[in-house]
Amino acid sequence: MANNEESRGLKSLFDWFANRRKSGSTSLERQEREIADGLWHKCSNCGVLTYTKDLRSNLMVCVECGHHNRVDSDERIRQLIDRDTWKPLDEHLRPTDPLQFRDRKPYSDRLRETQEKLGLIDAVKTGLGQINGLPVALGVMDFRFMGGSMGSVVGEKLTRMIEQATQRRYPVVIVCTSGGARMQEGMLSLMQMAKISAALQRHQDARLLYIPVLTNPTTGGVTASFAMLGDIILAEPKATIGFAGRRVIEQTLREKLPDDFQTAEDLLQHGFVDEIVPRTQLKNTITQLIALHQPVLTPPHMVLWETMSLTSSAAE
């Protein structure tokens, strides 16, 4: 009799464990399904699950650890530009295959497949808009399009945008994210570095503001040109910023590099970046910088009065 009761007790215990495991498995499957459906987002840094709607309202920054998730160009424009003020520029420009380049597949096929998959023409969107009511020319790179690589279209669109901004006397903001120049276009991609830099020099000669925002990652020819030519250079926290990759530098120097090498924090410490700005504060920070640098026409008598005041204060 006792043996029968013990057997029933053990069976109940085994059934309880089996049901618990099955319930846990079902819960895990449901969780994975909801992540796949986009309802939840699992942070790649801390692993915390966040309701996607809440994550978007926090500008794709993890509410638990502050990790800045990568965002596409459309999302970035929505985050920065005031509603109904965005006017795209040069949307008709399309990349071609002048070198008839082929690696594992023809460059022309790679372009077409990427365009169809993402609904993008190339790796940058440019336009005019307003940031908290202040006019601005904005360029936003998109890492999804061939690693945000800089080809002829990227260079041409950014150059035209800067020239429009110079003509209209608008400040320029470029959100950078790139693996560098696009190898499939060879020297044609490398010359975009000089072309964009020349346009920025003319913009600077007109005493107008240029702010690059360096996001994760910003590397290669983009870093070697317009990403580092800003009047004020901003970066997102923990963004990878550099020219050559860590492995290449370590092999060249035959040294082990620090763990924080090529991070935004490391560049700030060494003077390559002016400020690290969390994404949730980026729009207001850019607004303040533009407002401070807007050209102000001061009447001559005010200039004389201010000069006299400064001289008097210095004498005291």
Side-chain angles (χ1 to χ4, degrees):
M1 185 75 175
N3 288 336
N4 290 337
E5 290 180 357
E6 287 178 4
S7 298
R8 283 197 297 270
L10 286 172
K11 185 177 183 303
S12 299
L13 187 61
F14 288 146
D15 289 344
W16 182 82
F17 274 114
N19 290 333
R20 179 177 179 140
R21 190 172 351 180
K22 184 177 179 182
S23 174
S25 176
T26 304
S27 176
L28 182 62
E29 288 174 359
R30 184 171 62 252
Q31 188 181 88
E32 290 175 349
R33 187 168 60 250
E34 288 178 347
I35 291 174
D37 291 340
L39 296 175
W40 294 86
H41 181 274
K42 186 175 182 179
C43 179
S44 59
N45 185 59
C46 67
V48 167
L49 283 176
T50 307
Y51 191 39
T52 303
K53 188 175 180 181
D54 293 338
L55 188 65
R56 283 216 174 102
S57 66
N58 201 43
L59 307 186
M60 298 303 291
V61 177
C62 178
V63 295
E64 187 70 24
C65 68
H67 174 67
H68 283 54
N69 294 283
R70 191 176 291 155
V71 297
D72 59 42
S73 51
D74 288 328
E75 181 69 23
R76 184 75 68 170
I77 291 168
R78 280 193 293 270
Q79 290 176 5
L80 292 177
I81 297 296
D82 298 346
R83 186 187 294 271
D84 299 327
T85 65
W86 178 249
K87 297 178 181 177
L89 295 174
D90 303 306
E91 290 185 296
H92 63 284
L93 294 181
R94 304 185 69 87
T96 59
D97 186 10
L99 305 181
Q100 301 297 301
F101 190 93
R102 182 186 182 96
D103 42 67
R104 286 180 297 174
K105 63 175 68 174
Y107 176 45
S108 56
D109 292 349
R110 194 180 295 279
L111 279 173
R112 185 179 63 255
E113 291 172 6
T114 307
Q115 289 168 342
E116 290 174 355
K117 178 182 177 182
L118 301 177
L120 297 173
I121 295 176
D122 213 301
V124 73
K125 288 192 173 185
T126 59
L128 306 175
Q130 294 182 8
I131 296 181
N132 286 328
L134 298 176
V136 68
L138 176 68
V140 180
M141 305 188 75
D142 198 316
F143 195 79
R144 297 176 303 160
F145 197 103
M146 299 183 69
S149 52
M150 178 178 59
S152 300
V153 168
V154 171
E156 184 66 20
K157 290 186 72 170
L158 288 174
T159 300
R160 292 189 185 190
M161 179 198 73
I162 295 164
E163 290 173 345
Q164 278 231 29
T166 305
Q167 183 180 1
R168 295 169 179 262
R169 301 196 64 78
Y170 282 6
V172 169
V173 176
I174 300 179
V175 181
C176 306
T177 176
S178 177
R182 189 172 298 171
M183 69 171 192
Q184 291 88 346
E185 296 187 22
M187 283 297 297
L188 296 174
S189 65
L190 294 176
M191 67 175 283
Q192 307 308 316
M193 298 166 60
K195 185 167 73 175
I196 299 170
S197 299
L200 285 172
Q201 182 61 55
R202 292 190 291 271
H203 191 73
Q204 184 184 46
D205 291 342
R207 302 180 67 80
L208 297 169
L209 181 65
Y210 166 49
I211 303 173
V213 180
L214 313 185
T215 69
N216 185 52
T218 300
T219 58
V222 170
T223 304
S225 56
F226 61 89
M228 287 294 179
L229 293 177
D231 299 299
I232 301 169
I233 302 176
L234 306 180
E236 287 192 335
K238 293 186 168 47
T240 297
I241 304 164
F243 179 59
R246 169 187 285 268
R247 185 181 61 185
V248 173
I249 297 174
E250 286 184 336
Q251 289 175 349
T252 303
L253 298 179
R254 302 180 185 277
E255 293 182 11
K256 180 69 177 174
L257 296 170
D259 291 339
D260 64 347
F261 180 70
Q262 290 186 331
T263 62
E265 289 72 15
D266 182 49
L267 267 68
L268 177 65
Q269 185 177 354
H270 289 87
F272 288 95
V273 167
D274 293 304
E275 190 60 67
I276 296 174
V277 182
R279 191 178 296 160
T280 51
Q281 301 173 20
L282 184 60
K283 183 172 182 177
N284 287 337
T285 300
I286 293 174
T287 301
Q288 292 172 353
L289 292 174
I290 292 174
L292 286 170
H293 289 80
Q294 286 281 60
V296 179
L297 297 177
T298 308
H301 68 277
M302 291 296 294
V303 173
L304 177 61
W305 183 85
E306 289 174 0
T307 304
M308 291 174 62
S309 299
L310 289 171
T311 305
S312 175
S313 299
E316 291 176 359

